[in-house]
Amino acid sequence: MENNIIVKELLKDYEKKHQKALTDLENRKQALYSKCPELLEIENRLHTLGISTAKFILGNNNSTHLTNLKNEIEKLKIERANLLKKLNIDENYLKPTYECNICNDTGYTYRELSNCYVFLFKTKTIRY
Ligand SMILES: [Zn+2]
């Protein structure tokens, strides 16, 4: 197989792996939220506050208001952590599970091809 075809296939595999990790996470979240709607509420509020914070930083520099926003976000994160603890769920449950934690299944680290990618590429191109 030609090298550039291998490159394309590998990157497609990475894309699939990365997407699968995100889909799995979404499914886990939905299952969790239907069990504990309070968590969904917190998640939605965090999302809204995140947007407000971003807009605020761009818009002006009233630091008191920004501190309030950040405090609110911290409070919600603690609330979420407590809820998860009560449900006996690890916080990693709400993070994507990648096969490779270095490149998060993208094949890249800091804009360079990741080690796992280079390894996979070699296993496909070295002939014995
Ligand atoms: Zn990797």
Side-chain angles (χ1 to χ4, degrees):
M1 230 193 302
E2 252 186 85
N3 281 3
N4 60 0
I5 296 174
I6 294 172
V7 168
K8 267 189 201 157
E9 283 197 347
L10 274 177
L11 286 176
K12 224 194 278 169
D13 287 348
Y14 272 105
E15 174 67 32
K16 263 191 232 159
K17 271 197 272 190
H18 186 80
Q19 210 43 55
K20 187 179 177 302
L22 295 181
T23 311
D24 288 349
L25 172 67
E26 209 35 56
N27 292 338
R28 283 205 302 278
K29 276 186 176 175
Q30 292 313 323
L32 185 60
Y33 294 158
S34 63
K35 226 174 22 177
C36 180
E38 242 177 316
L39 274 172
L40 177 60
E41 226 171 273
I42 291 177
E43 216 55 56
N44 287 340
R45 273 164 70 198
L46 277 172
H47 183 72
T48 314
L49 283 171
I51 294 171
S52 308
T53 309
K55 273 189 191 155
F56 193 80
I57 290 171
L58 288 175
N60 63 69
N61 43 26
N62 176 337
S63 58
T64 320
H65 187 64
L66 191 60
T67 312
N68 288 344
L69 279 172
K70 283 182 176 167
N71 286 342
E72 182 74 7
I73 288 173
E74 266 330 290
K75 241 172 52 194
L76 284 169
K77 282 185 177 169
I78 292 167
E79 219 177 293
R80 178 173 64 188
N82 287 337
L83 269 173
L84 288 174
K85 215 187 256 171
K86 227 166 57 186
L87 292 166
N88 216 356
I89 286 166
D90 194 281
E91 277 187 62
N92 287 330
Y93 191 82
L94 290 177
K95 288 178 191 143
T97 323
Y98 296 114
E99 276 179 39
C100 174
N101 286 323
I102 295 164
C103 70
N104 290 346
D105 294 348
T106 57
Y108 288 94
T109 359
Y110 303 114
R111 292 191 188 169
E112 278 178 31
L113 291 169
S114 63
N115 289 339
C116 66
Y117 179 96
V118 175
F119 175 79
L120 278 174
F121 184 79
K122 279 183 187 158
T123 59
K124 283 177 191 278
T125 48
I126 288 171
R127 299 193 214 303
Y128 295 98

